[in-house]
Amino acid sequence: MNAIGKSSVVFVTLSGLFWGGWVLGSQTPEGQEAIARAYAAYAEQQTAANEDLFDSTALRAVVCGGSENGAQQPCLAVVAGGRLFIVDAGSGAAESLIQRGVPMARLQAVLLTSSGLQQMSDLSEMYGHATRGRDDALLPVYGPADTQRMVDGLNQAAGMDGASRGLQAWGPSPEPGRSVIVFEGDGLTVSAFTTQEDAFSGRVGYRFDYRGRSIVVGGDGRMIGAEAALNADVVLQGAQSQALSHIRQQASMTAAEVAAQARGSNAGLVVLTGANNQVEAQVQLSEARAAGFDDVVSGRVGTLVELPLDNMEINVRPL
């Protein structure tokens, strides 16, 4: 059994002890303190187990946001070269990663696909967890041109200057057909790109290239059809079902449109994100496959996508 599997057993055991103690009436201060220590130990063990996510053997992505009460809470974490990048900081994103033992201290930067409130709502929380214990810490935030104004407002509200402490905004401002590198080092290149339509609506996509493997994150835009997305091993793309596209006034592509563009861009695997529930996720998958693209899965919160460097496999499993 691997380390993550062992920690899951520990969690189940701890849960059993907790509820067993509750039923038996052992709700003493000492007992509650012991349970708290046990859960803290489990959290530490899970974090240690997830350090394996940061080894140099693979390029990885974790779905850390979905939807809540019909509202999208976008978040995707990409791990490569020992670094953590978060694309979009929807509400609860930081807590979602912490609950799964992902060490936020590894956070290199936050990359926004849009400067909307849904993409930025957890930025302050994320900064607090990523820089805990550091008095003079900066967290880079990349995004569309309007990102600067939004980030300045968050810094002012928190009493930070964004120069020596706080969120530090950078606008890569890619043009259609011209990617802009936002990070490069240790075999990893992160590029921002856009399309003609997405540039007009203020949307940006990101491509992660790590030692021969590649992941593209398209947000809710039409990035999958961009030149920068060609031949990507994995594309994580927001989508909606055709059945609901007439009801919801959203700009995201339908699953069938994503599938059609995936064929054209020679994508290896498409991970559809943002479905409100399991039923909608299944409808999206059915529509994508009916459009002629079979290599598609639904990305629910906690889904881990792993691209080993020593072969061309794509592994998908819960984290």
Side-chain angles (χ1 to χ4, degrees), residues 150-198:
M150 302 292 285
V151 166
D152 285 346
L154 290 173
N155 280 331
Q156 290 174 10
M160 299 182 291
D161 59 14
S164 61
R165 182 170 177 264
L167 302 167
Q168 190 173 52
W170 300 90
S173 301
E175 298 175 0
R178 185 180 68 86
S179 298
V180 176
I181 294 175
V182 298
F183 178 86
E184 191 169 26
D186 298 327
L188 171 66
T189 300
V190 184
S191 305
F193 67 96
T194 190
T195 64
Q196 193 70 48
E197 183 175 347
D198 290 312

Side-chain angles (χ1 to χ4, degrees), residues 87-105:
V87 184
D88 291 331
S91 178
E95 189 62 30
S96 173
L97 290 167
I98 291 168
Q99 287 178 352
R100 288 168 175 79
V102 177
M104 293 297 292

Side-chain angles (χ1 to χ4, degrees), residues 34-82:
I35 290 295
R37 287 198 302 269
Y39 271 108
Y42 162 73
E44 291 179 4
Q45 182 181 2
Q46 188 179 33
T47 299
N50 282 347
E51 283 292 333
D52 291 345
L53 293 174
F54 292 87
D55 64 31
S56 60
T57 64
L59 173 62
R60 302 175 175 94
V62 180
V63 180
C64 44
S67 62
E68 183 177 338
N69 299 323
Q72 296 299 310
Q73 310 294 345
C75 172
L76 293 162
V78 179
V79 179

